[in-house]
Amino acid sequence: MTYEQFQKQFHIQLNRQQAEAVRSIDGPVLLLAVPGSGKTTVLVTRLGYMIYCADIPSESILTLTYTISAARDMAKRFGSYFGDEVARSIEFRTINGICAKVIQYYGNLIGKAPFSLATENETITRMLSEIFLRTEESYATESDLKGIRSMITYIKNMMLTGDEIRQLDEEADYRVSEIYKAYNDELHARNRMDYDDQMVYAYNILRRSPETLQYFRNLYSYICVDEAQDTSRIQHEIIRLLAGGRDNLFMVGDEDQSIYGFRAAYPEALLSFEKDHLSAKVLLMEENFRSDGKIVEAADRFIQKNILRHEKHMTAARQALTDIQRIALQNRRAQYDHLVKVAEECRTQTAVLYRNNESVLPLVDRLERQGLPYRLRNAEPTFFTHRTVLDIRSIISYAMNPKDADLFLQIYYKIGTYIKKADAVRICEIAGKENRDVLETAIRYGQLPDRTVQSCRLIRNHMKCLLSERADKAINRIVYSMGYGEYLERMGMSDSKLFILKMIAQNEDSLQRFLMRLDELQAIMQGRQEHSQNITRTAEERAAVRPKSKLLQERHVSQSILRGSEEKGARQPLILSTIHSSKGLEYDTVYLLDVVDGIFPEDAPKSLKAMDKKERAAYEEERRLFYVGVTRAKNNLAVFKLDQKSSFCEELVRKETRAADKAGKISLQAKAKSRPVQAYASGGKDFSQEEYEKYAAGLGEGLIVQHKKLGEGVVVEVQEDRVTLQFSAGQKVFGLKTLYEYDLLVF
């Protein structure tokens, strides 16, 4: 069957770049597909072309996807195009799926059963809890356990050495190397392996068993990989081994959309594809069919500032009709007021996207209180078990129960008592025997230095005041008057959780009601988890985090709250989601929440030039995450402009390029395309005011440029007719018109 016949029979309509990708069959091919360019359609169509036009047996094709659901969706999509019977003959698998097949084959080959897979989250969680208690001599919170599991995944997927693992100890709040070793020893003792071990074992088998490797190379003559930018280092190595020999490898991805660094995504493999695969072909799909032209223009200009990427430019298939909204508000609180109004008036598919799950909690609180419907995607309740949140709860609970010695031992060193550990234990023993208030015991019978006694009196008075204050005022007292803020600073811990707590607390007139509301919101978030994990705690762990108030223990979340939210959410177009969870999706309207330096991006560098390799990699991933959020919008995009500094907001919608209209909308002009470096001409080029304005619009603070004579520099300041650049030799000021007329800069 010819390509033309194939098109006609299956009603295939592709643009030039898409058609080229579909017809590139043999050898290593990397397809870089920008957001909204139809990559899934192209991948599926290519599979059909291989079978019907290239006469490649369907059973010799292996298609790898990132998740099981993605594999099912792709098989379903293929079946809708070319029939379910053919679809069943093609293998659509995850990496773990093919690794399990490798391990099983090798086990049969040597006559030995492989380790069984540890699939029970409860078992792994309990194991890690026990290891954490032995190693750290404290109980792990759910947040701790989540962090540890992520770290273990990262270590195995990035193939870290022993020295590299030990270096992680310096960055983490716990001894990573010891916990990691103990965890693996425990698995091996039980003849078990986790999902990450599947890949480690399969990789080692393929390296050390030529017979196994050759079997799978013969089995799969062609390998296709979807979402290649999300693939880890060890996954890339496994794919490289399987594709070796014929090297008929087709990888589809976009390093600009690599946002899973915490899961060990390894976009560097895409950047080195041509080096790792001789005779490799790199194809582009640069046309975005999803978004309004102005959104595409702004997003492309934004992502161009990343260095670790292939050279490509996203173009718009749609006209530029709708300006990006930059909604000027005074502070973060005002975002939630605005979005409540959006929820009240929402009639079309609208998404509120954010970097961290905690950002949405005040909005969920407001929507629930007002009975406004919404949908919450992949809710994550670990905020409620974060150490800062548990500390605030414990301090409040102690204020309500001043005789509770267990609570006192959890908090005394986090507030300004200045009591030594040995004295605290002794005082609690005395208070327990006499059934006394612990702080009162410390003051009267503790035999403490005068300074310490005075501190205890002050803290006791603060504790009494807490009980009569509004919840938000009480939290301020805990943080600023009782020394908890100093404790966070001393421990190098973030205070970001406190803002969220205050936002929830401002609607509660008592601490009892505040703690109840935290319980309700936690239950709401747990009830909304699409992929919930049933985590079992030990009795000691439960005791460490349970509310001490009898009233709170007896309080139950209203089932109508949970049921009503879900029922209303099913009919409601308002969607709340992290950007990570929204990847691959699209919405008519998108609001980007909490786009301020320190939150998004999480760490905004003071100087782009001074960043080391690790810092730049982290910052570029933050930029990619923002880029993914922006490109989820089809017709309307809004970013909140707060009084706090927002590097990303200013870059996306630059105030120096356009004056805002009264509605707060900013019109965006396209950035001029990068020009190749040329030698100085004897004279300047013809001057075009329109082109000059586009050129000037493309320059912004922090942009890395290449000067023809002076080399790489960074834009420090842009004025009306001049620009200041920072080079390694120092700063220089240039006239914009001169730079433009003589093509002196590449950016």
Side-chain angles (χ1 to χ4, degrees), residues 518-577:
L518 287 181
D519 289 341
E520 291 170 353
L521 289 172
Q522 184 174 4
I524 290 168
M525 298 297 280
Q526 287 174 330
R528 295 297 191 89
Q529 281 186 287
E530 291 184 3
H531 308 289
S532 61
Q533 296 181 351
N534 185 17
I535 298 177
T536 303
R537 296 186 187 143
T538 63
E540 292 84 0
E541 289 177 285
R542 289 194 296 272
V545 301
R546 70 172 183 262
K548 298 295 181 176
S549 166
K550 185 178 179 180
L551 177 62
L552 292 175
Q553 291 175 339
E554 295 174 351
R555 173 85 175 181
H556 297 283
V557 179
S558 169
Q559 289 301 308
S560 65
I561 293 177
L562 299 179
R563 185 174 60 253
S565 298
E566 283 298 333
E567 290 175 354
K568 289 180 282 189
R571 304 189 299 267
Q572 191 38 241
L574 181 64
I575 300 143
L576 314 180
S577 173

Side-chain angles (χ1 to χ4, degrees), residues 46-58 61 78 86 90:
R46 184 178 181 273
L47 292 173
Y49 178 83
M50 293 169 70
I51 296 169
Y52 288 99
C53 297
D55 297 324
I56 296 171
S58 56
I61 304 171
F78 182 91
V86 182
I90 300 178

